[in-house]
Amino acid sequence: MHQLSLAEIARGLNERQFSAEELTRGLLDRIARLDPQINSFITVTEELALAQARAADARRAAGENDALLGAPIAHKDLFCTKGIRTSCGSKMLDNFAAPYDASVVEKLAAAGAVTLGKTNLDEFAMGSANESSHYGAVKNPWDLSRVPGGSSGGSAAAIAARLVPAATGTDTGGSIRQPAALTNLTGLKPTYGRVSRWGMIAYASSLDQGGPMARSAEDCALLLGSMAGFDPKDSTSVDQPLDDYLAALGRPLTGLRIGLPKEYFGEGLDPKIASAVLAVVEELKKLGATVKDISLPNTQHAIPSYYVIAPAEASSNLSRFDGVRFGYRCENPADLTDLYKRSRAEGFGDEVKRRIMVGTYALSAGYYDAYYIKAQQIRRLVKNDFVSAFEEVDVILGPTTPNLAWKLGEKNADPVSAYLEDIYTITANLAGIPGLSMPAGFIDGLPVGVQLLAPYFQEARLLNVAHQYQQVTDWHTRAPAGF
Ligand code: GLN
């Protein structure tokens, strides 16, 4: 049963081939047996899962048949879950049980999804390797000596290892798409404002967006239909009608105009990844798409701009962790200043401290214009690149990452080399447009991801293209050996 997709699970439950409780027990058992190898869960919510599964079975017995009713999922451990530890991968919140559910958690629970647990992540979602978690690194099920990507690396590894069919993630600069690429999954970062951020612990508020991770585009469509939508509790949530994501999957791709940005195929890209990506383009052409070379000239400025804006917002957001209101507090503080200083020094890890320092510096009176304002101006240029490109093409296609999954520890001494792994994903967050990564084959046994980008609110188009591709290929169905 652990190989089933969400769509297949819905059919199986509907036809009473198995119950949600049986399915849940089977997966909880796999987590207990296999997760010690990959460390993808921080908390397993066994009691909650079994109670939700029984409730789902009762609702099905009473005649309900919504697709997610009884579907097992997991939440990245930065979505608040009422009464359950919500750690953000940090010692700072190790003792924090959220007093309420995030809107995404609430919506999926209302749809009948069964929460198996909370997944590991880079501390406060800062990272590309899932090595900065207080709970230890996550390992890539395709090669246990390699990283699964980050920051939603726990969600990615859990799905790839068939411990859960789908999970939530968040993406500030690539944290859904990049781990999806490195573990052979489909992951979608929706348009900024499409999915509520209420109850999603903030990293960089103008960039953060929650989204679905699963093996197929169809499963992402199923999840997104429940996760997305206007939320009056999030002032940046957008009040615009939702598309029928499932219905859109079947549309033919005839006439689809694909743009290939020359900046996404240049220096720094592993040539084997470039060939795998171009093979996807050939498949899409066979399905009726046309291809055009385009340019996104400000791509090279995206990383420097992001690494001013994201730390600036993080330094402000993380000021609430002061040892007073909630979370970690140091022992025997001498006075209030000592309490603040030591609680933060002891509660946060190195990468988080690095970002707080960079962000505080960029926002300081003397440097604000030189760094923060400049970075915001570049952000506008990056957005304008996309607006012009989408006058000529319907989707933009390229690699999700410049390299394959790297060895654990390999980039620890040089954080900037890890920052560079986000070169193709960060621009979508700066602009606020939606992006999707999908499996595109393997190189030396390691998964390759292709990224598709679309204009604002065109999530349905991304899911449609990915689904059509997945109808003629089977990369997304492949499982790592041993799982
Ligand atoms: N790797 C990027 C960072 O460290 C993106 C992380 C994310 O999307 N949460 O900021």
Side-chain angles (χ1 to χ4, degrees):
M1 266 190 277
H2 58 270
Q3 299 287 0
L4 299 178
S5 68
L6 285 181
E8 289 162 342
I9 287 172
R11 272 195 293 281
L13 289 170
N14 218 12
E15 292 163 8
R16 304 290 185 271
Q17 290 169 13
F18 45 82
S19 68
E21 185 174 349
E22 273 175 88
L23 179 65
T24 300
R25 283 191 191 281
L27 291 174
L28 287 170
D29 176 60
R30 276 182 72 77
I31 294 171
R33 274 192 298 120
L34 300 172
D35 198 46
Q37 290 179 63
I38 56 171
N39 196 28
S40 66
F41 279 86
I42 292 176
T43 303
V44 179
T45 50
E46 184 166 340
E47 263 175 55
L48 170 71
L50 289 170
Q52 286 178 326
R54 285 189 211 106
D57 285 332
R59 280 169 65 182
R60 280 198 185 265
E64 289 185 52
N65 64 356
D66 285 354
L68 291 180
L69 195 51
I73 59 161
H75 289 295
K76 183 176 184 177
D77 201 17
L78 65 57
F79 286 94
C80 285
T81 41
K82 188 173 179 175
I84 296 166
R85 175 169 58 184
T86 301
S87 74
C88 264
S90 182
K91 180 177 174 187
M92 185 57 92
L93 290 178
D94 181 55
N95 64 1
F96 174 66
Y100 61 90
D101 279 332
S103 291
V104 161
V105 172
E106 198 175 88
K107 277 167 174 261
L108 287 168
V114 171
T115 302
L116 300 187
K118 308 286 299 287
T119 54
N120 207 341
L121 68 157
D122 278 303
E123 186 177 5
F124 285 101
M126 298 174 188
S128 311
N130 214 135
E131 291 183 288
S132 75
S133 168
H134 171 61
Y135 302 90
V138 178
K139 296 179 187 131
N140 191 326
W142 290 94
D143 176 344
L144 298 173
S145 69
R146 290 178 190 270
V147 303
S151 65
S152 312
S155 288
I159 303 166
R162 274 62 182 162
L163 305 183
V164 66
T168 55
T170 65
D171 191 311
T172 304
S175 279
I176 287 177
R177 292 162 286 157
Q178 186 257 12
L182 268 40
T183 57
N184 200 41
L185 303 182
T186 307
L188 173 69
K189 180 201 92 74
T191 307
Y192 183 77
R194 180 82 289 185
V195 168
S196 170
R197 289 186 300 112
W198 199 76
M200 228 175 83
I201 295 177
Y203 161 17
S205 312
S206 76
L207 301 158
D208 296 343
Q209 185 61 199
M213 302 175 77
R215 294 193 293 261
S216 65
E218 182 181 27
D219 282 3
C220 286
L222 260 172
L223 277 185
L224 185 66
S226 285
M227 292 171 74
F230 177 62
D231 180 2
K233 294 199 259 264
D234 170 4
S235 62
T236 59
S237 154
V238 179
D239 194 358
Q240 191 166 306
L242 293 185
D243 287 316
D244 183 338
Y245 301 115
L246 279 179
L249 296 176
R251 293 198 293 241
L253 300 188
T254 326
L256 179 85
R257 298 169 304 166
I258 298 176
L260 301 180
K262 68 170 193 278
E263 294 78 7
Y264 286 26
F265 291 89
E267 203 194 328
L269 175 62
D270 178 337
K272 289 182 184 161
I273 295 187
S275 324
V277 172
L278 294 173
V280 174
V281 175
E282 290 310 310
E283 271 315 316
L284 292 172
K285 278 197 204 159
K286 286 189 215 153
L287 295 173
T290 62
V291 176
K292 192 176 165 88
D293 290 325
I294 60 163
S295 173
L296 299 168
N298 290 291
T299 301
Q300 54 166 326
H301 305 305
I303 288 194
S305 157
Y306 174 90
Y307 277 101
V308 170
I309 295 170
E313 293 184 15
S315 71
S316 166
N317 276 323
L318 270 58
S319 66
R320 64 175 62 105
F321 304 108
D322 57 5
V324 176
R325 286 169 287 188
F326 47 83
Y328 180 78
R329 177 179 298 176
C330 68
E331 303 263 349
N332 306 319
D335 54 28
L336 186 61
T337 309
D338 185 45
L339 168 79
Y340 287 149
K341 276 195 185 164
R342 278 206 293 121
S343 298
R344 287 168 68 81
E346 293 165 20
F348 289 136
D350 289 348
E351 185 61 28
V352 172
K353 286 179 191 161
R354 178 158 35 230
R355 310 254 180 143
I356 291 174
M357 284 191 282
V358 169
T360 305
Y361 181 82
L363 290 178
S364 59
Y367 296 100
Y368 184 82
D369 291 348
Y371 293 105
Y372 188 70
I373 295 287
K374 197 49 125 195
Q376 292 288 17
Q377 288 167 338
I378 293 171
R379 181 176 194 174
R380 172 55 64 102
L381 296 177
V382 168
K383 177 198 158 177
N384 290 349
D385 279 358
F386 282 120
V387 171
S388 328
F390 286 128
E391 283 169 9
E392 299 179 79
V393 297
D394 303 310
V395 294
I396 292 173
L397 186 150
T400 308
T401 61
N403 293 298
L404 300 167
W406 58 93
K407 292 268 186 195
L408 287 152
E410 193 182 315
K411 293 186 195 275
N412 285 359
D414 179 10
V416 174
S417 72
Y419 296 175
L420 291 171
E421 290 298 316
D422 298 328
I423 175 89
Y424 309 127
T425 50
I426 268 178
T427 48
N429 302 76
L430 289 172
I433 58 168
L436 174 147
S437 180
M438 64 174 184
F442 295 84
I443 296 169
D444 303 331
L446 295 172
V448 179
V450 153
Q451 177 177 241
L452 299 162
L453 301 169
Y456 297 104
F457 300 104
Q458 299 302 324
E459 287 79 12
R461 187 181 298 166
L462 295 176
L463 292 163
N464 170 219
V465 177
H467 180 73
Q468 291 301 315
Y469 178 72
Q470 291 175 352
Q471 297 311 291
V472 294
T473 53
D474 69 353
W475 307 122
H476 65 290
T477 64
R478 311 246 178 127
F483 296 97

